[in-house]
Amino acid sequence: MNNIPQQLQQIHQQIKQACHAVGREQSAVKLLAVSKTKPVEDILIAHAAGQVAFGENYVQEGVEKIQYCQQHDVSLEWHFIGPLQSNKTRLVAEYFDWMQTLERAKIADRLNEQRSPYKAPLNVLIQINISQESSKSGIQPSDMLPLAKHIENLPHLRLRGLMAIPEPTNDVAQQEQTFCQMKTLFEQLQQALPNAQIDTLSMGMTDDMQSAIKCGSTMVRIGTAIFGTRDYAK
C-alpha cells in the first residue's frame, strides 16, 4: 500500500535539497503530481496532503476525474501532459487549466476557438523535442519562436513557457547538458516575447529531477515516486 502523504513529503524534501544545493528558493519549483492511470481516490488523498496540481496524459480519463472533483467541490489545477490529437482538443479546452504539450499551430488554433471566453485563458507550454528523438512528440528548437509568435495572437491561450521530456539516461552530465539547452531556449523565448508571462520551464521527472532543478526547471512532473508504479493493464 502506498503512503501518498509520506511520499509527497519526501519529494518536497528532495526538491528543497536540490534547490538549496544551487542557491534557489524551494518556492521556485512547482510539483506537478502525475496521476495518469491512478484512481481518483489517490488524487483526493494527495490533495488532502496539500497537493493542488495534477497531470493527466489521457483526455477521457482526465475529464472523468475532473468532473468527479467538480461534482464534489474539490478545486484542483489540471494539466494535460500527453500527446493531443485534433479530435480531442475540445475536451482539453473545456476542462483543463494547462496544456503542456503544444507542438502545432493547428492544435493551438483549435484550442483557442474551443476555449470559452468566460473562462481564464488556457495556459500552454510548447513541447520541445530536445533530444531529437523520432519517437517523441515536440518541435525542433528552430521552430519555437514562429509557433510562440502564433500563439501570442490567440486571445484564449496564454503562452507560459516550455516543456520537454529528454531521452532517459543515467549519465548526470548528459542530463545536465540537455536541461541547460532547454534553459537557454527558455531565456531566448523570454527575450523574444518580453510582454508575455513566460515563467514556466516544465522539465524533470522522478529519475532526473535533481539535474533539472540545477539547470533551472520551475516545474517537475512526478508520478511513480508519489503514487507508486502504474498498472497499464487496467
Side-chain angles (χ1 to χ4, degrees):
M1 181 65 193
N2 293 316
N3 188 337
I4 292 170
Q6 187 181 356
Q7 282 155 204
L8 269 171
Q9 199 174 356
Q10 287 172 352
I11 293 293
H12 281 297
Q13 191 59 34
Q14 289 170 17
I15 292 172
K16 182 179 180 179
Q17 288 167 348
C19 288
H20 183 72
V22 291
R24 298 181 68 194
E25 293 288 329
Q26 183 181 355
S27 59
V29 180
K30 180 171 181 168
L31 173 59
L32 182 70
V34 178
S35 44
K36 66 174 179 181
T37 78
K38 295 297 177 181
V40 74
E41 290 78 14
D42 285 5
I43 293 171
L44 297 177
I45 291 168
H47 176 240
Q51 181 62 27
V52 173
F54 293 86
E56 291 286 333
N57 284 57
Y58 309 111
V59 177
Q60 199 59 49
E61 179 193 346
V63 167
E64 286 169 12
K65 292 173 183 176
I66 293 168
Q67 288 175 329
Y68 180 92
C69 290
Q70 286 174 345
Q71 287 159 7
H72 292 80
D73 288 328
V74 179
S75 182
L76 302 177
E77 180 181 290
W78 295 96
H79 294 239
F80 186 74
I81 57 172
L84 182 61
Q85 298 161 315
S86 329
N87 61 346
K88 299 278 180 70
T89 53
R90 180 175 296 283
L91 288 170
V92 171
E94 284 179 5
Y95 285 97
F96 285 81
D97 305 297
W98 286 71
M99 155 60 172
Q100 292 207 17
T101 49
L102 197 52
E103 57 172 357
R104 286 189 289 155
K106 177 188 170 187
I107 295 286
D109 290 340
R110 287 179 68 91
L111 290 167
N112 179 64
E113 287 162 17
Q114 294 165 342
R115 183 73 169 180
S116 165
Y118 301 107
K119 282 190 159 183
L122 180 66
N123 296 295
V124 298
L125 302 178
I126 293 173
Q127 183 174 356
I128 305 287
N129 186 350
I130 196 65
S131 302
Q132 316 278 315
E133 292 177 90
S134 57
S135 62
K136 285 258 176 82
S137 303
I139 60 169
Q140 300 303 310
S142 56
D143 296 327
M144 174 184 76
L145 288 180
L147 180 55
K149 286 174 177 169
H150 181 86
I151 295 167
E152 203 183 20
N153 292 316
L154 301 176
H156 306 306
L157 303 186
R158 181 181 290 132
L159 180 61
R160 297 290 293 272
L162 302 177
M163 179 267 213
I165 309 170
E167 189 173 12
T169 173
N170 294 323
D171 181 339
V172 173
Q174 177 64 49
Q175 287 175 1
E176 291 181 6
Q177 184 186 358
T178 306
F179 286 137
C180 287
Q181 288 174 325
M182 281 299 301
K183 181 64 167 20
T184 301
L185 288 171
F186 181 63
E187 288 168 347
Q188 288 173 2
L189 184 61
Q190 287 177 316
Q191 288 163 3
L193 302 178
N195 298 322
Q197 188 184 348
I198 308 297
D199 56 7
T200 302
L201 181 55
S202 172
M203 61 185 193
M205 298 191 282
T206 300
D207 294 332
D208 55 12
M209 177 173 73
Q210 274 80 9
S211 295
I213 290 172
K214 181 178 179 180
C215 298
S217 171
T218 71
M219 184 183 294
V220 291
R221 308 181 304 271
I222 309 294
T224 308
I226 297 171
F227 298 109
T229 52
R230 297 189 184 94
D231 180 4
Y232 287 101
K234 292 178 185 172

